[in-house]
Amino acid sequence: GDGALEDDDDIFEVSGSNLNTSRLTQGRDRTTSTQSTSSVVSVKYSELEHLPDLFKRMRGTDWKERSEAVTELVALTTSHSNKVINGNKLIPIIDRLCEKLSDGNTKVNLHALEGISKCVTVLGQRIEPALGVLVPSICSNLARTPKLGTVAKNTIENMTMSLDAKLLTLPYCNSVLSNNNPKIKSFMLSSLASVVPLLCDEGSPNLAIKHIVPVAVKNCTEKKSDIKSACNTLTVTLYSCLGDEFINQVNRTAKRGEIESIERSCGVGYG
């Protein structure tokens, strides 16, 4: 594990520091000291040496080999998460996992989805730099087979509960705005409804006003029943959390028909 390797690192570093007391020439000291420093770096990230081979196997022609490579990559990422982050390997790893979310084999696809959910749980907030790629890749699976759709929903829900809402606001909003598929759009509108109270609890209601309110306005007159229902839930949640500030923002930015639709959903301005 990480702890054991760090102990080994300490041994290497002590060994290197003791070189100055050895009966070697000054030049030999410098050479050996430099070699020792290189060894420390090499040992510290030794687990990551296998990444190129894993990446190659993930693109192999045998689906079982691809699936096994996904398993090994997820295990490496979750077991050595600090080294993945400090070694600047997060983005390449997430890129390759996301690539498998559109694999031609459903089993590999499913395996990658489940692995990503594990990575989200272990990495937590540290996965932020990869969210711009991760969220749309997961969302694409919402509209595929029922099994993939279910696991994709579970992964998004895990992300919502595991990460700070302020990190998810823009990726979730973009997933609604960039998709016309009803399954994707309706689920991500519902996910935004879950994010709104979390933002308020985090002391960031301004992010909801700036980013989520425009998404609600844009979709409030949608005719498709599942999108309409999800947007109605989002609208009611925004009003519940933001109160009159939400209505005032709508009045400032929305068209007349949109204003009426939102007021109707919130039960204000009528009766």
Side-chain angles (χ1 to χ4, degrees), residues 15-34:
S15 175
S17 67
N18 287 339
L19 287 171
N20 291 330
T21 64
S22 66
R23 291 177 297 176
L24 297 172
T25 64
Q26 186 176 1
R28 179 62 175 163
D29 265 351
R30 283 198 298 268
T31 302
T32 309
S33 178
T34 300

Side-chain angles (χ1 to χ4, degrees), residues 29-200:
D29 265 351
R30 283 198 298 268
T31 302
T32 309
S33 178
T34 300
Q35 289 171 345
S36 176
T37 301
S38 298
S39 297
V40 172
V41 174
S42 176
V43 171
K44 187 173 183 180
Y45 293 102
S46 61
E47 295 88 352
L48 307 184
E49 292 174 359
H50 302 295
L51 282 177
D53 179 59
L54 285 176
F55 290 166
K56 183 178 179 180
R57 288 166 55 203
M58 287 172 73
R59 289 179 172 173
T61 56
D62 184 346
W63 74 265
K64 290 182 180 178
E65 183 180 30
R66 298 199 302 274
S67 186
E68 288 171 1
V70 167
T71 298
E72 292 176 34
L73 183 60
V74 170
L76 184 152
T77 304
T78 55
S79 298
H80 304 288
S81 60
N82 287 336
K83 289 169 186 178
V84 166
I85 299 297
N86 295 334
N88 296 317
K89 299 300 182 183
L90 174 66
I91 298 301
I93 287 173
I94 295 300
D95 279 347
R96 291 308 175 93
L97 286 173
C98 286
E99 188 177 281
K100 294 298 97 182
L101 294 185
S102 57
D103 192 275
N105 185 282
T106 304
K107 291 180 180 178
V108 176
N109 194 327
L110 185 61
H111 202 33
L113 255 182
E114 292 168 341
I116 283 173
S117 190
K118 291 177 184 177
C119 291
V120 168
T121 300
V122 172
L123 291 167
Q125 320 301 337
R126 296 176 296 172
I127 207 168
E128 177 189 5
L131 289 177
V133 172
L134 198 53
V135 172
S137 297
I138 297 170
C139 284
S140 66
N141 282 259
L142 292 168
R144 300 186 70 186
T145 69
K147 178 65 174 176
L148 286 171
T150 297
V151 177
K153 287 180 181 179
N154 292 341
T155 303
I156 292 290
E157 287 170 355
N158 180 35
M159 194 175 286
T160 304
M161 292 299 104
S162 300
L163 306 182
D164 287 349
K166 61 179 177 288
L167 303 182
L168 299 172
T169 300
L170 272 176
Y172 280 17
C173 286
N174 289 337
S175 70
V176 175
L177 297 173
S178 63
N179 273 292
N180 290 321
N181 186 286
K183 289 182 180 179
I184 298 175
K185 183 165 284 196
S186 60
F187 185 77
M188 295 312 296
L189 282 167
S190 297
S191 298
L192 279 174
S194 298
V195 164
V196 171
L198 297 175
L199 279 176
C200 292

